[in-house]
Amino acid sequence: MSDTPSVLFVCVHNAGRSQMAAGWLTHLAGDRVEVRSAGSAPAESINPVAVAAMVEVGIDLTDQRPKILTPEGVQASDVVVTMGCGDACPFFPGKRYEDWKLEDPAGQGIEAVRAIRDEIRARIEKLIAELDAA
């Protein structure tokens, strides 16, 4: 891992879980970690309920856009966290891969998305502690 580790969050649409995770990591780790997110089949825009849930905790995702997952993005990352993208994520030896089983916020109300948001935060805090220890 480089001096500034790079983390890529991947979900299918890059509109909910991966965007919330990237927002949390950027917010909590600052410039100590390079943060990316992408999707295997990106949506047109970020889930507005996910945006609303993150605004509640002081994180603004309104300037973010879903991005396509590329092999280059995976290769440039030290840690790849998948969130339900199945086999669409390319595998490169030497990368750390984690698969986070998280409920999809698509079509969910704000209460359900808050719970997903909070679960993501807990996982991000653990990931930051592991990256800091490395």
Side-chain angles (χ1 to χ4, degrees), residues 49-61:
V49 182
V51 171
M54 294 300 283
V55 165
E56 291 179 349
V57 293
I59 300 171
D60 184 3
L61 300 179

Side-chain angles (χ1 to χ4, degrees), residues 9-74:
F9 296 102
V10 182
C11 67
V12 175
H13 299 297
N14 189 221
R17 295 167 289 192
S18 57
Q19 292 285 353
M20 289 192 290
W24 273 124
L25 185 55
T26 300
H27 180 75
L28 296 171
D31 59 3
R32 295 188 339 251
V33 179
E34 183 180 351
V35 181
R36 299 182 178 95
S37 71
S40 55
E44 290 293 317
S45 61
I46 297 181
N47 178 336
V49 182
V51 171
M54 294 300 283
V55 165
E56 291 179 349
V57 293
I59 300 171
D60 184 3
L61 300 179
T62 56
D63 64 339
Q64 299 299 309
R65 300 287 172 261
K67 296 166 279 309
I68 187 74
L69 175 65
T70 65
E72 295 80 16
V74 175

